[in-house]
């Protein structure tokens, strides 16, 4: 959940670290810190300088500006608090008792309590409440043992100590270590948390995510699970968890998507909402080329065997990705005729249903790093592959926006939604990309299983081709409309979102968007469920936002909306213009399209309304309180 960055080379480290951290701030912004190793003017011996500040990165940048942090070697961290409050003393880097060795970490050390007790019983005093602080103390203790046993080469002593300590740590982590005694060595390690090395000109870098490297280099080396690396000004030594030296060729960041830029928009979220027509256009261009055979109407990177013999599909995801999965499940069941279930990944890990043979398990995660989703997929693959009957063996697919992520290293079949990097914590264009991925899958399954007539498939394909233009018009219109509506919500404390069928998950998504960036309490319900309890909440101060798109449940949703209106609720409709929709106090009009593709459009007014309500309240839309973009802890 936190972001880490490390650098060793010929330039001053602190500005490089701050610039890398700026690109990682979306991972957490409770506090930030850095440690550099270098000699102050006139000094011969290198010392470690540590600067830490509570709150956003700017506070750290000001501190470094005022006090400096010399050295060509350093580590940096931006924190999303797990163990210990977001206070300066809990900010990373954490140091050993001598203050000469520092560590930054992203993840959770699950056995830290045990390790801390052990270290405290040896007389070590702790300065924070974090799980991370055990690591510098353990490394320092290991270094002492190695020195006692005659190991003297300082770069390799640090490497060996980190290798030994990583074997003692339980949990998922990525870490970087510097030590004043080794001003030419930086050691990094990862287990189940991302870490990518960047090979720059004159420096080597390492970071939790590629945007932090993109300003310096396009040549990268993603670290594998369990690896430890020694970075020196001369090169990289990479070791697996058994200590075997590894040799791998670097890969290259290819597109400008790794460069983070707000363009002229006030917030990343608004820019990303406006990028959705482009996301859709790219998807159509890549996946719906002309001339594909009827049995494979969508160009996806899988051969025929991928679609064969599947009896059921289960989808594991969290948050917004789970809402996309719910739309996906509707399409896979109702359009392609395959029984499909959606699970919260965090629940599935500990209460998975009994095994059914010939199951496809789909993991949906835009970041490809969500710990719950990765762990659920890995648990599922283990229990299936250990089954004696091969019909139960694991078949998995990952849907992600980050094909270089941990998900892609864990799952063989990957569907890259190609939405370009998303910085706003509230997912928008990646949600749209995930929806498109499910349309592609549902169409190919339907065609291969003959569960739909060819003309039904052709119609849906044509409708999907029209979405990019429809989105363009819709976003232009609703940006202004939502901005005008937003002041109505200035005193609002609760909002109800209603939807049905394929648009029920969109009601959930609307409620999640509003909650996370405006801090207004919001709930999404299937419209028909209101009368079974939630209707008791209705009164004039509680707006009801209802998605009513023509289709099998259109009239039903309108009746449910009428029921709310009869309780004096302020009624806002996301629906086509027409006599039926005159019941709404305010209408956010969407075009009259087939029910199948309606979620691709009905979500847009939800996103823009949430955005403008939060912006109108003066809130930090891109970095809402308590959240982080990728949740790499359980
Ligand atoms: C989206 O607006 C949220 N910030 C959050 O629910 C997110 O969708 C969830 O954490 C899952 O992330 P993932 O797609 O990267 O796995």
């Amino acid at each position: 959940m936190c972001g880490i960055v490390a650098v060793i080379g010929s330039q001053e480290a602190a500005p490089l670290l701050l610039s890398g951290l700026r690109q990682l701030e979306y991972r957490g912004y409770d506090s930030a810190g850095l440690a550099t190793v270098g000699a102050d003017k006139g000094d011969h011996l290198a010392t470690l300088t540590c600067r830490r500040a509570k709150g956003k990165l700017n506070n750290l940048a000001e501190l470094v500006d005022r006090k400096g942090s010399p050295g060509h070697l350093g580590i940096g961290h931006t924190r999303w608090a797990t163990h210990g409050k977001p206070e300066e003393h809990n900010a990373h880097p954490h140091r050993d008792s001598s203050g000469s060795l520092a560590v930054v970490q992203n993840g959770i050390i699950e056995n830290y309590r045990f390790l801390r007790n052990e270290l405290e019983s040896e007389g070590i005093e702790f300065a924070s409440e974090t799980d991370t602080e055990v690591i510098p103390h353990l490394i320092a203790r290991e270094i002492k043992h190695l020195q006692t046993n005659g190991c003297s080469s300082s770069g390799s002593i640090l490497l060996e100590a980190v290798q030994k300590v990583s074997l003692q740590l339980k949990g998922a982590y990525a870490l970087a270590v510097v030590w004043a005694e080794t001003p030419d060595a930086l050691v990094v390690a990862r287990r189940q948390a991302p870490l990518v090395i960047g090979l720059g000109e004159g420096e080597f870098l390492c970071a939790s995510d590629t945007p932090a490297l993109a300003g310096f280099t396009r040549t990268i080396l993603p670290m594998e699970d369990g690896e430890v690396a020694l970075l020196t000004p001369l090169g990289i030594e990479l070791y697996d968890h058994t200590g075997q030296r590894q040799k791998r060729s670097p890969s290259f960041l290819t597109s400008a998507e790794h460069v983070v830029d707000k363009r002229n928009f006030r917030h990343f979220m608004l820019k990303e909402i406006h990028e959705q027509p482009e996301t859709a256009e790219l998807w159509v261009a890549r996946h719906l080329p002309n001339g594909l055979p009827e049995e494979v109407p969508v160009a996806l990177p899988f051969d025929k065997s991928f679609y064969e013999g599947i009896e059921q599909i289960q989808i594991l995801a969290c948050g917004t990705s789970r809402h996309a999965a719910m739309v996906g499940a509707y399409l896979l069941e109702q359009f392609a005729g395959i029984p499909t279930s959606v699970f919260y990944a965090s629940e599935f890990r500990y209460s998975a249903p009994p095994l059914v043979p010939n199951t496809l398990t789909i993991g949906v995660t835009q970041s490809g790093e969500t710990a719950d989703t990765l762990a659920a997929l890995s648990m599922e693959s283990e229990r299936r592959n250990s089954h004696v009957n091969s019909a139960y063996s694991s078949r998995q697919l990952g849907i992600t926006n980050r094909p270089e992520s941990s998900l892609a290293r864990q799952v063989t079949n990957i569907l890259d939604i190609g939405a370009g990097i998303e910085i706003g914590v509230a997912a928008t264009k990646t949600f749209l990309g995930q929806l498109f991925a499910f349309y592609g899958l549902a169409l190919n399954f339907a065609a291969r299983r003959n569960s739909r007539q060819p003309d039904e498939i052709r119609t849906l394909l044509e409708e999907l081709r029209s979405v990019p233009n429809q989105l363009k018009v819709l976003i232009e219109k609703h940006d202004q409309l939502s901005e005008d509506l937003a002041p109505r919500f200035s005193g609002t404390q609760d909002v109800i979102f209603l939807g049905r069928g394929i648009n029920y998950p969109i009601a959930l998504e609307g409620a999640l968007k509003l909650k996370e960036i405006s801090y207004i309490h919001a709930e999404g319900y299937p419209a028909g469920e209101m009368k079974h309890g939630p209707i008791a909440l209705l009164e004039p101060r509680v707006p009801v936002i209802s998605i009513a798109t023509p289709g099998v449940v259109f009239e039903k949703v309108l009746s449910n909306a009428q029921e709310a209106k009869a309780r004096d609720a302020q009624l806002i409709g996301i629906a086509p213009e027409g006599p039926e929709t005159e019941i709404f106090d305010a209408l956010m009009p969407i075009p009259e399209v087939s029910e199948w593709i309606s979620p691709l459009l009905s979500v847009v007014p939800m996103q823009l309304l949430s955005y403008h309500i939060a912006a109108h309240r003066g809130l930090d839309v891109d970095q809402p309180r308590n959240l982080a973009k990728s949740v790499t802890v359980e």
Side-chain angles (χ1 to χ4, degrees):
M1 200 79 140
C2 309
I4 69 175
V5 58
V7 63
I8 182 165
S10 51
Q11 300 183 50
E12 275 296 305
L16 301 185
L17 293 171
L18 287 169
S19 148
L21 288 177
R22 182 87 48 215
Q23 308 298 328
L24 296 180
E25 215 184 356
Y26 70 90
R27 299 175 74 88
Y29 32 82
D30 287 332
S31 65
L34 57 79
T36 54
V37 172
D40 247 333
K41 288 177 211 99
D43 283 352
H44 296 299
L45 282 181
T47 51
L48 185 125
T49 308
C50 187
R51 306 282 180 226
R52 307 186 297 180
K54 184 181 166 178
K56 301 255 168 97
L57 187 61
N58 282 346
N59 300 348
L60 175 69
E62 273 167 30
L63 184 70
V64 172
D65 215 29
R66 251 185 308 119
K67 296 194 162 178
S69 195
H72 295 171
L73 159 68
I75 54 178
H77 188 269
T78 177
R79 177 170 190 244
W80 184 80
T82 58
H83 294 61
K85 288 197 166 165
E87 298 293 345
E88 191 192 315
H89 70 280
N90 287 324
H92 297 218
H94 292 286
R95 284 158 289 175
D96 72 329
S97 309
S98 75
S100 65
L101 185 143
V103 172
V104 288
Q105 193 255 143
N106 164 38
I108 288 188
I109 307 305
E110 285 170 359
N111 57 338
Y112 87 99
R113 201 19 75 210
F114 168 81
L115 295 167
R116 184 172 173 140
N117 289 344
E118 188 182 279
L119 288 159
E120 278 174 338
S121 71
E122 291 168 19
I124 304 283
E125 280 178 25
F126 278 72
S128 77
E129 289 99 54
T130 65
D131 53 336
T132 302
E133 201 190 338
V134 295
I135 305 172
H137 294 302
L138 288 170
I139 297 173
R141 184 174 76 175
E142 206 56 60
I143 287 174
K144 261 192 210 136
H145 286 164
L146 290 165
Q147 283 171 331
T148 319
N149 293 329
C151 181
S152 60
S153 158
S154 49
S156 64
I157 208 174
L158 183 63
L159 171 71
E160 211 178 322
V162 174
Q163 283 171 321
K164 292 220 153 84
V165 168
S166 25
L167 299 176
Q168 297 166 42
L169 303 177
K170 292 208 171 100
Y173 59 81
L175 56 88
V177 191
V178 287
W179 184 30
E181 305 282 317
T182 57
D184 284 334
L186 169 69
V187 177
V188 292
R190 72 156 285 217
R191 189 198 295 157
Q192 289 167 35
L195 211 48
V196 187
I197 295 173
L199 292 76
E201 281 174 25
E203 60 266 318
F204 293 100
L205 300 106
C206 191
S208 304
D209 200 354
T210 49
L213 306 174
F216 309 102
T217 180
R218 303 228 147 243
T219 315
I220 60 160
L221 193 66
M223 287 178 69
E224 299 286 345
D225 213 37
E227 282 184 340
V228 180
L230 171 69
L231 278 59
T232 72
L234 301 177
I236 300 163
E237 290 174 22
L238 199 60
Y239 298 87
D240 73 4
H241 69 284
T242 65
Q244 287 297 309
R245 182 90 184 254
Q246 302 295 297
K247 292 238 181 296
R248 256 200 324 277
S249 304
S251 50
F252 301 95
L253 292 175
T254 48
S255 74
E257 68 180 351
H258 295 282
V259 177
V260 173
D261 174 16
K262 223 187 272 178
R263 303 213 313 248
N264 287 328
F265 289 94
R266 200 169 144 206
H267 294 102
F268 278 110
M269 181 183 178
L270 188 60
K271 180 191 93 148
E272 287 152 4
I273 292 173
H274 277 263
E275 281 171 348
Q276 291 180 110
E278 205 183 315
T279 307
E281 223 161 66
L282 268 174
W283 190 86
V284 169
R286 278 182 196 151
H287 301 288
L288 302 183
N290 290 324
L292 285 182
E294 263 191 0
E295 70 273 16
V296 193
V298 182
L300 298 180
F302 314 123
D303 61 22
K304 285 179 188 166
S305 64
F306 173 83
Y307 301 96
E308 271 156 23
I310 288 172
E311 281 175 48
Q312 73 146 5
I313 295 178
Q314 52 188 16
I315 316 179
L316 319 179
C318 306
T320 287
S321 294
R322 185 175 152 275
H323 299 152
M326 290 172 75
V327 176
Y330 188 98
L331 293 167
L332 289 162
E333 284 198 328
Q334 306 298 323
F335 192 82
I338 311 171
T340 305
S341 324
V342 178
F343 296 89
Y344 286 106
S346 53
E347 289 296 312
F348 186 90
R349 287 180 72 174
Y350 302 105
S351 52
L355 292 178
V356 171
N358 302 312
T359 295
L360 173 66
T361 304
I362 304 180
V364 191
T365 158
Q366 80 78 23
S367 62
E369 302 295 350
T370 297
D372 284 318
T373 309
L374 297 182
L377 285 166
S378 127
M379 182 281 281
E380 183 62 354
S381 129
E382 260 167 49
R383 73 173 182 146
R384 285 189 168 273
N385 289 339
S386 58
H387 201 285
V388 284
N389 184 340
S390 64
Y392 289 85
S393 61
S394 177
R395 299 170 74 166
Q396 293 196 340
L397 162 68
I399 299 179
T400 184
N401 194 35
R402 306 302 300 270
E404 74 291 355
S405 63
S406 303
L407 175 83
R409 290 194 285 281
Q410 184 175 318
V411 173
T412 327
N413 298 306
I414 286 291
L415 208 44
D416 173 11
I417 62 171
I421 193 154
E422 187 177 69
I423 295 297
V425 162
T428 52
K429 64 174 179 171
T430 55
F431 177 71
L432 188 90
Q434 291 167 340
L435 293 187
F436 269 108
F438 279 112
Y439 282 94
L441 284 173
L443 275 157
N444 277 2
F445 272 116
R448 295 206 64 80
R449 296 163 81 99
N450 294 319
S451 34
R452 287 278 157 181
Q453 296 299 323
D455 60 331
E456 289 177 288
I457 290 182
R458 273 194 296 275
T459 308
L460 182 51
L461 287 168
E462 275 325 299
E463 285 173 333
L464 288 173
R465 286 197 173 94
S466 73
V467 170
N469 280 336
Q470 309 225 42
L471 281 172
K472 256 181 225 159
V473 178
L474 199 66
I475 290 170
E476 286 311 319
K477 188 168 174 175
H478 280 272
D479 202 357
Q480 190 56 55
L481 205 64
S482 314
E483 196 172 349
D484 296 344
L485 269 178
R488 283 204 197 184
F489 290 77
S490 39
T492 301
Q493 290 187 345
D494 304 280
V495 179
I496 305 280
F497 288 80
L498 300 179
R500 261 182 115 140
I502 197 166
N503 277 298
Y504 163 50
I506 302 300
L508 295 178
E509 176 59 7
L512 177 61
K513 286 286 91 85
L514 189 66
K515 273 186 268 208
E516 66 181 339
I517 58 170
S518 74
Y519 317 143
I520 296 176
H521 170 244
E523 296 298 336
Y525 289 105
E529 192 58 24
M530 274 296 282
K531 54 189 176 292
H532 299 289
I535 202 163
L537 297 170
L538 297 189
E539 47 134 318
R541 284 173 305 170
V542 180
V544 172
I545 301 181
S546 174
I547 310 167
T549 53
V552 277
V553 286
F554 188 44
E555 282 77 20
K556 307 274 174 211
V557 178
L558 291 176
S559 311
N560 300 142
Q562 291 277 19
E563 289 155 18
K565 196 170 178 167
R567 271 82 190 170
D568 291 331
Q570 240 193 88
L571 209 56
I572 295 168
I574 295 180
E577 278 165 311
E580 305 96 327
T581 55
E582 277 168 11
I583 56 159
F584 294 109
D585 299 311
L587 184 70
M588 303 189 78
I590 52 169
E592 196 165 336
V593 294
S594 88
E595 197 168 26
W596 292 122
I597 65 157
S598 59
L600 293 164
L601 303 178
S602 61
V603 70
V604 166
M606 304 273 190
Q607 297 169 338
L608 281 165
L609 188 60
S610 302
Y611 168 77
H612 282 294
I613 291 173
H616 182 74
R617 292 183 163 213
L619 297 170
D620 191 343
V621 174
D622 288 330
Q623 297 182 339
R625 69 181 179 211
N626 306 340
L627 297 180
K629 183 73 182 163
S630 48
V631 185
T632 56
V633 293
E634 189 186 341

